[in-house]
């Protein structure tokens, strides 16, 4: 009983608001409601079945430690942490599974509200970071400003508004250049491959547009659910639009513009509530399905405590607003400050578009048909603009969703095998469709 009481005590209004916003951020609500109904039907009639007494004997799974370094070491790999400083003073943590002397460097970059840990959650023999290490690559895992690992700055505190005055634009023009320069300097060779998931691709395209000299240090790029055009989807982004003003005010007043960091409520839930029994597992998992699309077959319930222990990992409100803007405008362009400030900032009433057409490095685009945010129409639009797409790949699983790229049971077979082939310049069978 005490665990239950502790749980209730750990909930505050703020947590509830945060949770709702988190859901709103990713989900397609209309789909989601259907999903919830389906989920609820799957529940036994009485939720009071939950045996809270059991919690006394409940032994917490020691694997549910959420530190990337420790998780890597526990799997028996060497792990390193490096801190890089961006030109505008943010301190970013790069995790690394170092390769041998002549190993080729690859950088894996996480999605919004995620961290380096997402690349290892599936565990040894499955997670992309380990598979690449097994192939002899020098594996680097980045952390964008504002997430659990990169909440530091040479002079600003994360409690200040100014710290959170960034979007994926700054991640593209400062964070990625800092990481890529650090790796290529250390290795004295270009980055062999950049793998981005969702926002990890968004910021890369910002960099390719605004800092092409850095993009030239990268030899190949692989996209999981490229987040460049994100309109024409049944996304929850549109449901938050009527409340955008209130959203901004709440975020500023209560959260100094920080969006959904890891917190005690989530930690507690993931540690003590979700793994309790079948029902709590289902409840927790349905939250994930709400957020990302319903794909229970690919979801490994055992990983739930680890996933919730890692994500959401925090970002700025401005990042969310910038995504919301490109969704609205149906254009991949810089932050819209409103007509007057745009004139000052950009010398034009509208923000300038990012230049995608000059992104000349070889690019592979992977997408899933169950993805609520990045759909096939958007990916094809990007495909037609990019000059050098070497692979356009629809993951052969009908419900494959936005996070299946990192968490799906069959991600190794459905996705990573092909990633490794592309990295090794091996022949792909069903190669790109026509434009
Ligand atoms: C790697 O390089 C270091 C020094 O540069 C050398 O001592 C070591 O033997 C090398 N290891 C391998 C496996 O070649
Ligand atoms: C983009 O490419 C076009 C033609 O290939 C070239 O004229 C232009 O200068 C390039 N722009 C940038 C920003 O590199
Ligand atoms: C689910 O995750 C657990 C814990 O990592 C693992 O032991 C198990 O093999 C996974 N199941 C599948 C089907 O991938």
């Amino acid at each position: 009983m005490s665990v239950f009481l502790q749980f209730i005590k750990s909930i505050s209004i703020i947590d509830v608001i945060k949770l709702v916003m988190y859901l709103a951020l990713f989900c397609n609500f209309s789909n989601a409601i259907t999903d919830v109904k389906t989920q609820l039907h799957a529940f036994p009639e009485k939720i009071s079945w939950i045996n809270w007494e059991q919690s006394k004997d409940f032994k917490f799974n020691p694997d549910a430690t959420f530190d990337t370094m420790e998780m890597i070491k526990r799997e028996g790999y060497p792990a390193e942490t490096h801190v890089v400083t961006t030109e505008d003073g943010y301190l970013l943590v790069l995790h690394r599974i170092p390769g041998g002397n002549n190993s080729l460097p690859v950088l894996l970059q996480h999605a919004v509200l995620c961290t380096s840990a997402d690349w290892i959650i599936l565990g040894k023999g499955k997670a992309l970071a380990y598979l690449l290490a097994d192939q002899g690559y020098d594996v680097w895992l980045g952390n964008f400003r504002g997430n659990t690992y990169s909440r530091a700055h040479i002079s600003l505190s994360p409690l200040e508004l100014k710290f959170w005055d960034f979007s994926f634009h700054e991640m593209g023009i400062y964070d990625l250049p800092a990481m890529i320069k650090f790796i290529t300097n250390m290795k004295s060779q270009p980055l062999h491959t950049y793998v981005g998931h969702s926002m990890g691709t968004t910021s890369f395209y910002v960099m390719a547009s605004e800092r092409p000299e850095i993009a030239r240090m990268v030899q190949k790029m692989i996209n999981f659910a490229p987040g460049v055009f994100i309109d024409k989807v049944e996304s929850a982004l549109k449901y938050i639009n009527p409340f955008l003003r209130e959203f901004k005010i709440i975020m500023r007043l209560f959260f100094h513009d920080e969006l959904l960091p890891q917190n005690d409520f989530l930690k507690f839930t993931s540690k003590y509530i979700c793994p309790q029994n079948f029902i709590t597992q289902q409840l927790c998992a349905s939250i994930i399905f709400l957020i990302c699309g319903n794909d229970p077959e690919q979801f490994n319930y055992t990983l739930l405590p680890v996933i919730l222990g890692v994500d959401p990992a925090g970002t700025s409100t401005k990042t969310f607003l910038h995504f919301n803007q490109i969704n609205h405008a149906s254009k991949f362009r810089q932050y819209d400050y409103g007509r007057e400030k745009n004139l000052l900032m950009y010398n034009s009433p509208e923000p300038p578009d990012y230049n995608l057409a000059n992104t000349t490095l070889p690019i592979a685009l992977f997408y899933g048909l169950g993805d609520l945010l990045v759909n096939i129409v958007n990916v094809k639009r990007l495909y037609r603009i990019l000059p050098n797409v070497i692979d356009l790949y629809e993951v052969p699983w009908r419900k494959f969703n936005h996070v299946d790229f990192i968490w799906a049971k069959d991600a190794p077979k459905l996705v990573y095998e092909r990633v490794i082939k592309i990295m090794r310049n091996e022949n792909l069978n069903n190669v790109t469709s026509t434009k």
Side-chain angles (χ1 to χ4, degrees), residues 262-331:
Q262 262 294 314
N263 61 24
D264 293 343
F265 167 64
L266 282 163
K267 282 220 174 72
F268 189 86
T269 310
S270 59
K271 261 192 172 180
Y272 298 108
I273 304 299
C274 298
Q276 288 256 344
N277 57 33
F278 176 76
I279 298 168
T280 52
Q281 268 189 6
Q282 294 290 315
L283 271 170
C284 292
S286 60
I287 294 175
I288 307 233
F289 298 146
L290 272 168
I291 294 162
C292 312
N294 193 0
D295 190 4
E297 283 153 276
Q298 285 297 335
F299 191 76
N300 185 345
Y301 290 85
T302 319
L303 296 177
L304 199 57
V306 189
I307 290 172
L308 288 176
V310 168
D311 303 317
T315 189
S316 68
T317 303
K318 193 174 176 182
T319 302
F320 172 79
L321 294 173
H322 198 175
F323 272 122
N324 188 266
Q325 288 177 0
I326 60 174
N327 165 271
H328 253 271
S330 187
K331 281 179 175 168

Side-chain angles (χ1 to χ4, degrees), residues 384-399:
R384 283 190 293 269
I385 294 172
L386 294 171
N388 192 8
V389 176
I390 54 168
D391 189 25
L392 177 66
Y393 179 64
E394 182 178 293
V395 181
W397 179 268
R398 201 173 49 81
K399 288 185 172 176

Side-chain angles (χ1 to χ4, degrees), residues 7-191:
F7 171 69
I8 297 294
K9 272 190 231 152
S10 77
I11 305 175
S12 67
I13 293 294
I14 301 292
D15 290 322
V16 174
I17 295 174
K18 283 181 184 177
L19 193 62
V20 169
M21 283 172 182
Y22 187 40
L23 298 179
L25 186 61
F26 280 112
C27 303
N28 163 347
F29 264 123
S30 55
N31 261 13
I33 286 163
T34 327
D35 292 350
V36 170
K37 279 189 197 144
T38 324
Q39 289 294 313
L40 284 177
H41 276 301
F43 290 146
E45 276 149 51
K46 286 188 189 135
I47 282 240
S48 59
W49 268 34
I50 299 173
N51 183 1
W52 298 107
E53 285 305 318
Q54 225 180 33
S55 57
K56 274 197 300 230
D57 311 320
F58 173 66
K59 291 210 177 48
F60 176 55
N61 173 6
D63 284 346
T65 299
F66 312 125
D67 180 74
T68 305
M69 280 280 282
E70 281 176 31
M71 287 162 80
I72 296 174
K73 283 185 185 158
R74 191 171 320 108
E75 296 284 30
Y77 290 82
E80 292 176 6
T81 296
H82 299 266
V83 177
V84 299
T85 310
T86 66
E87 286 157 37
D88 61 344
Y90 287 82
L91 303 170
L92 311 177
V93 165
L94 269 171
H95 290 116
R96 181 191 191 192
I97 309 175
N101 280 353
N102 298 316
S103 58
L104 301 166
V106 299
L107 173 60
L108 312 185
Q109 197 56 50
H110 63 78
V112 69
L113 297 171
C114 293
T115 75
S116 53
D118 284 280
W119 298 106
I120 55 173
I121 277 179
L122 282 179
K124 190 173 178 169
K126 290 181 193 151
L128 183 59
Y130 297 128
L131 295 179
L132 295 178
D134 294 343
Q135 293 282 324
Y137 290 101
D138 186 22
V139 182
W140 294 80
L141 311 169
N143 285 288
F144 281 128
R145 61 183 61 195
N147 86 357
T148 313
Y149 293 111
S150 298
R151 294 173 92 253
H153 186 276
I154 49 171
S155 61
L156 299 171
S157 145
L159 297 175
E160 288 176 78
L161 275 178
K162 221 173 150 208
F163 181 97
W164 300 99
D165 185 14
F166 64 81
S167 79
F168 54 77
H169 177 80
E170 283 73 18
M171 300 175 201
I173 64 171
Y174 297 126
D175 293 3
L176 291 182
M179 295 181 206
I180 292 169
K181 276 199 256 176
F182 182 84
I183 298 168
T184 53
N185 273 345
M186 185 189 241
K187 302 282 291 184
S188 309
Q189 59 176 310
L191 190 64

Side-chain angles (χ1 to χ4, degrees), residues 198-223:
S198 192
M199 187 174 75
T201 69
T202 318
S203 351
F204 189 94
Y205 289 111
V206 170
M207 178 184 78
S209 165
E210 306 303 304
R211 312 258 334 239
E213 77 283 3
I214 311 282
R216 279 194 285 276
M217 299 176 183
V218 184
Q219 293 180 322
K220 204 175 279 176
M221 180 202 186
I222 297 173
N223 295 243

